[in-house]
Amino acid sequence: MYFSPIMTPAALWLLFACFVCVLLLASLYFFRVRNVVAYRRRADRERPDKPDAAYLPASVIVYSQGDADALTALLGSLLNQDYPAAFEVIVVNDGESADVRDAVSMLRASHPNLYLTFTPEGVVNLSRKKLGVTLGVKAARYDTVVLTTTAVEICSPLWLRRMMSPFEVDGNVEVVLGFAYIDPDEDTAFGRRRRAFDHVVDSVRWLSVAIAGKPFRGTEYNIAYRKDTFMRNKGFARTLNLHYGDDDIFVSEIANGANTAVELSENSLVRLRHGNHPRIFNERVLRRFFTESFIRRRPRFLPPLMGWLQFGAIAAGVGAGVISYPNLQPALVAAVILVVMFVLDIYMWRSAMKALKSRTMMLTLPWLSLTYPLRKFSRRFRSRLGRQKKYTWD
């Protein structure tokens, strides 16, 4: 074994391929991951609060599925929002529920801006979630609706103020995409690091293109849009045969770069309760794979491409070292390039996970990033063959 700067053409080409893969990976990190991190960091710093008189009235629609305790906690946060304009809170419960009715009645005595409605029992061949949202939007007295569910906790009294700040009387903004983060302390089961990483990668995927002016989805837990926009689109008329799709297929129909704003300020974020437990996480991911198949304009290859570039860099580096043996110079150069790649993985994804309030990791990040395409392929296959509810007649 020896070190010599003289290398075969094949080894040089493989080292060049390794370098190009890392260079392309760095460019994707710079234009996608870094953009989300930078946008999140400057969300509070570069968007000063508007005068109180400039805020529009708002209707907050809360979708509930009978969890009276969670609803009571959420309503406590909503009804005490520090919002300078008029607002109302409309609870839409899935079916009749005496517990939910009692919880709302107790609060309504001191909050006349609180209302309750139910989706009718016995509805078949129709998405109950979309029916509930439609009832809430039609019942709203104000022109702008903000939607959330009892699956979240609103931690800031300025949440409504921040979600409504992009809207103006004569402005072009019709849709505001918020974000729901997962508390890492809630998930202690096996695979928690993998789930946390995959949630952040998926979030960066749709947030980065939305920031770039090409929105294709949002999150059902934190989103706002104008009532007129909902009506012009005829609500969810095109997807009433699907159980889900109210925050991706619908958003792709109404949102574009000219009428959509992304809100990532600290006070606008909501905390997703029990959102990263294994069963709930898998159900949400498989559901998303199915509904996104109905969206044409979405980034299909970007996140997996990062992993494939890593595979390519490792394969080219190892190949250069093997064919040059016993000359160790190509192996040394390849090792340096790959170390730079792994350091880049750690730096960029650690920054993204910190910005999106997820679990902080370090040494496991290169492995999770490298294997992400395999997990994505497996989930896509399972979403097509699985028995989870997809259509309303299932």
Side-chain angles (χ1 to χ4, degrees):
M1 295 183 293
Y2 61 91
F3 290 89
S4 172
I6 301 176
M7 292 177 273
T8 64
L12 289 173
W13 277 111
L14 287 172
L15 289 176
F16 178 73
C18 180
F19 175 77
V20 169
C21 287
V22 175
L23 188 63
L24 291 175
L25 179 67
S27 65
L28 290 177
Y29 279 148
F30 182 83
F31 289 110
R32 295 301 183 186
V33 183
R34 181 182 174 277
N35 275 4
V36 174
V37 174
Y39 192 92
R40 168 75 180 87
R41 288 175 176 173
R42 65 173 182 264
D44 291 301
R45 185 175 65 252
E46 296 184 1
R47 185 177 294 172
D49 200 9
K50 300 192 302 185
D52 288 354
Y55 280 91
L56 302 178
S59 296
V60 181
I61 300 174
V62 179
Y63 181 71
S64 170
Q65 292 181 296
D67 190 344
D69 293 335
L71 177 61
T72 300
L74 180 64
L75 290 179
S77 302
L78 287 175
L79 294 171
N80 292 307
Q81 285 290 299
D82 179 12
Y83 192 64
F87 73 97
E88 63 179 353
V89 178
I90 302 172
V91 177
V92 183
N93 193 69
D94 185 1
E96 291 279 353
S97 172
D99 292 338
V100 169
R101 184 170 56 251
D102 293 342
V104 173
S105 297
M106 291 179 61
L107 290 170
R108 182 166 168 73
S110 56
H111 297 88
N113 61 332
L114 175 62
Y115 304 93
L116 172 65
T117 185
F118 297 93
T119 57
E121 300 284 357
V123 175
V124 295
N125 294 337
L126 189 67
S127 169
R128 297 186 64 84
K129 170 69 183 297
K130 293 173 184 175
L131 175 61
V133 172
T134 301
L135 292 175
V137 172
K138 289 186 175 180
R141 68 172 66 180
Y142 300 124
D143 294 333
T144 307
V145 295
V146 187
L147 288 86
T148 187
T149 79
T150 53
V152 306
E153 294 179 2
I154 296 177
C155 305
S156 171
L158 301 177
W159 169 75
L160 186 56
R161 184 187 287 260
R162 300 307 297 170
M163 288 299 294
M164 287 293 295
S165 62
F167 292 105
E168 297 179 355
V169 176
D170 298 321
N172 295 324
V173 175
E174 297 180 339
V175 183
V176 175
L177 305 179
F179 182 70
Y181 71 91
I182 297 174
D183 189 347
D185 293 334
E186 280 199 351
D187 188 6
T188 58
F190 177 77
R192 56 189 177 274
R193 291 179 176 82
R194 168 177 49 80
R195 289 188 292 275
F197 177 81
D198 290 356
H199 175 70
V200 169
V201 173
D202 184 57
S203 300
V204 167
R205 173 175 171 252
W206 66 268
L207 284 171
S208 63
V209 294
I211 292 170
K214 298 178 181 180
F216 74 98
R217 60 164 279 200
T219 173
E220 61 181 312
Y221 309 111
N222 198 9
I223 187 172
Y225 43 77
R226 295 187 187 270
K227 184 176 179 179
D228 180 63
T229 305
F230 181 88
M231 296 302 182
R232 286 201 315 267
N233 194 66
K234 298 180 181 179
F236 307 111
R238 298 180 182 87
T239 59
L240 284 178
N241 63 322
L242 304 178
H243 275 294
Y244 304 103
D246 52 287
D247 61 350
D248 49 15
I249 301 175
F250 176 70
V251 169
S252 70
E253 293 173 349
I254 66 172
N256 56 61
N259 73 348
T260 303
V262 179
E263 181 56 60
L264 289 181
S265 61
E266 178 70 22
N267 290 319
S268 73
L269 306 182
V270 299
R271 176 177 171 268
L272 189 57
R273 300 170 52 249
H274 313 304
N276 216 24
H277 292 182
R279 180 183 59 82
I280 298 175
F281 178 84
N282 289 332
E283 289 178 355
R284 187 172 65 243
V285 169
L286 295 179
R287 182 182 72 198
R288 184 73 66 187
F289 271 116
F290 173 72
T291 55
E292 280 193 3
S293 64
F294 293 87
I295 301 175
R296 292 183 179 179
R297 50 183 183 85
R298 70 186 193 276
R300 299 171 184 267
F301 307 111
L302 189 59
L305 179 59
M306 295 179 181
W308 295 127
L309 287 173
Q310 290 176 308
F311 274 118
I314 293 173
V318 171
V322 169
I323 66 173
S324 299
Y325 187 84
N327 182 7
L328 299 183
Q329 187 71 24
L332 178 62
V333 174
V336 171
I337 296 175
L338 294 179
V339 167
V340 171
M341 181 184 73
F342 293 142
V343 171
L344 184 65
D345 283 340
I346 293 173
Y347 174 75
M348 295 304 302
W349 287 122
R350 185 177 172 85
S351 299
M353 299 188 80
K354 183 178 180 180
L356 298 181
K357 307 189 75 162
S358 183
R359 186 182 302 274
T360 55
M361 296 181 282
M362 183 173 291
L363 297 181
T364 55
L365 287 173
W367 171 253
L368 292 172
S369 179
L370 180 67
T371 56
Y372 177 79
L374 302 178
R375 295 194 299 276
K376 189 176 181 67
F377 176 80
S378 173
R379 289 165 182 159
R380 188 179 301 280
F381 182 77
R382 289 163 54 198
S383 72
R384 293 178 179 177
L385 300 181
R387 295 183 178 180
Q388 73 274 15
K389 291 184 177 180
K390 300 175 181 178
Y391 295 95
T392 54
W393 53 77
D394 289 340

